[in-house]
Amino acid sequence: TETVAPAVDLVLGASACCLACVFTNPLEVVKTRLQLQGELRARGTYPRPYRGFFASVAAVIRADGLCGLQKGLAAGLLYQGLMNGVRFYCYSLACQAGLTQQPGGTVVAGAVAGALGAFVGSPAYLVKTQLQAQTVAAMAVGHQHHHQSVLGALETIWRQQGLAGLWRGVGGAVPRVMVGSAAQLATFASAKAWVQKQQWLPEDSWLVALAGGMISSVAVAAVMTPFDVVSTRLYNQPVDGTGKGQLYGGLADCLVKIWRQEGPLALYKGLGPAYLRLGPHTILSMLFWDELRKLAGRGLHQGT
């Protein structure tokens, strides 16, 4: 892998994940709707306007039009740019310092970098979740916030809940991205090195990064989905006049309530769409990042 400065990795990582977001945002919309469906209600006791991936895509189009599949895209791009810029920058610093060469260093560096990125990007993810949940009354799942735009949502939250309101739900977002980032960065690096060692593909081929991303996406989906469900619930729940959540008191409370009232399998609600979203997003973002790093590294070499 070409060596580039952490600041360059910040730009490349943010750019790569924003490119991936454009393609995977429709999957994020479907995943959000499925994760909010039947909130705190036992299976079989609520209507299910969204049933599986393809039927859910059709349901979104019927309710919101074709453009409905790109709901929250602007907020999603903002989140990907902020979160992944910080994440890749911090991870690159750890690599530069040699921390990732230590036993378990890759996982720790990925988790810490992900946590910092999630904190910085939390307001954007809050707005993205709420915008993607919004739809017509007949197809609504979860609380409806009725925002008109990204800036309008940020202004409303700021005015009604103050600065702290913009970071409401961050307690669910940090562990979500920590486990996902650790799994993604650790398995991608290991898988890519393993594929290169097998010499099945040309060493500089983009297919090497693609293979690494495919393996990485399985691990990310497996460990991240329960935290993803919790994070979606915490971000979208209604709040009282003081900005306190009316359904959940935090990460642990949300986990317990979902387990008790919906059953343990509810923590994997939307697993199929979640993987269909996480898989392509992981593959595309890591592929774009890897290829951009190669180009940047070659450019630096040519300039010296």
Side-chain angles (χ1 to χ4, degrees):
T1 304
E2 298 289 344
T3 301
V4 299
V8 176
D9 247 342
L10 183 153
V11 175
L12 299 183
S15 300
C17 292
C18 284
L19 284 171
C21 180
V22 173
F23 294 99
T24 61
N25 191 67
L27 301 170
E28 183 77 5
V29 174
V30 172
K31 181 212 72 173
T32 298
R33 303 277 178 91
L34 284 168
Q35 290 178 342
L36 290 171
Q37 186 169 248
E39 187 170 19
L40 298 183
R41 298 177 67 179
R43 185 176 179 84
T45 64
Y46 56 87
R48 296 177 60 195
Y50 305 100
R51 294 174 176 266
F53 174 67
F54 293 107
S56 297
V57 170
V60 172
I61 293 174
R62 284 197 304 271
D64 306 311
L66 193 60
C67 291
L69 290 172
Q70 287 290 10
K71 273 198 170 185
L73 178 60
L77 291 173
L78 178 61
Y79 170 72
Q80 292 295 335
L82 290 171
M83 192 274 282
N84 285 294
V86 172
R87 183 168 73 107
F88 281 97
Y89 177 76
C90 294
Y91 187 76
S92 185
L93 284 177
C95 291
Q96 195 175 71
L99 298 178
T100 55
Q101 302 303 315
Q102 305 300 319
T106 300
V107 174
V108 173
V112 173
L116 292 171
F119 183 83
V120 172
S122 187
Y125 198 92
L126 169 69
V127 172
K128 178 194 75 69
T129 300
Q130 295 180 1
L131 287 172
Q132 290 176 338
Q134 290 181 186
T135 185
V136 296
M139 300 295 288
V141 289
H143 184 72
Q144 301 291 290
H145 292 270
H146 306 295
H147 299 308
Q148 299 301 314
S149 65
V150 176
L151 290 178
L154 290 170
E155 181 184 358
T156 298
I157 295 169
W158 174 284
R159 187 176 63 252
Q160 295 180 354
Q161 304 169 36
L163 181 62
L166 293 172
W167 268 269
R168 181 172 56 82
V170 71
V174 169
R176 169 188 175 272
V177 178
M178 279 183 71
V179 297
S181 180
Q184 183 189 61
L185 292 171
T187 54
F188 176 75
S190 301
K192 185 186 172 193
W194 181 79
V195 172
Q196 287 177 325
K197 185 177 180 180
Q198 303 308 309
Q199 297 184 339
W200 292 333
L201 301 166
E203 185 175 351
D204 292 332
S205 173
W206 61 271
L207 291 172
V208 174
L210 178 61
M214 290 176 67
I215 296 171
S216 179
S217 65
V218 175
V220 173
V223 302
M224 196 173 180
T225 299
F227 294 96
D228 200 28
V229 172
V230 170
S231 185
T232 298
R233 300 286 183 87
L234 290 175
Y235 276 130
N236 195 66
Q237 68 173 326
V239 297
D240 60 21
T242 64
K244 182 180 179 181
Q246 295 182 353
L247 298 179
Y248 313 105
L251 174 66
D253 184 54
C254 186
L255 281 168
V256 170
K257 284 183 176 177
I258 292 174
W259 183 289
R260 289 179 176 174
Q261 299 185 40
E262 301 176 52
L265 290 180
L267 291 171
Y268 279 92
K269 273 189 175 181
L271 176 61
Y275 173 75
L276 289 175
R277 180 262 170 192
L278 284 169
H281 187 86
T282 301
I283 292 167
L284 289 171
S285 60
M286 298 308 284
L287 176 59
F288 289 150
W289 175 59
D290 199 63
E291 291 300 306
L292 287 170
R293 291 181 95 248
K294 287 179 182 178
L295 291 173
R298 289 168 186 163
L300 290 174
H301 289 327
Q302 291 174 359
T304 56

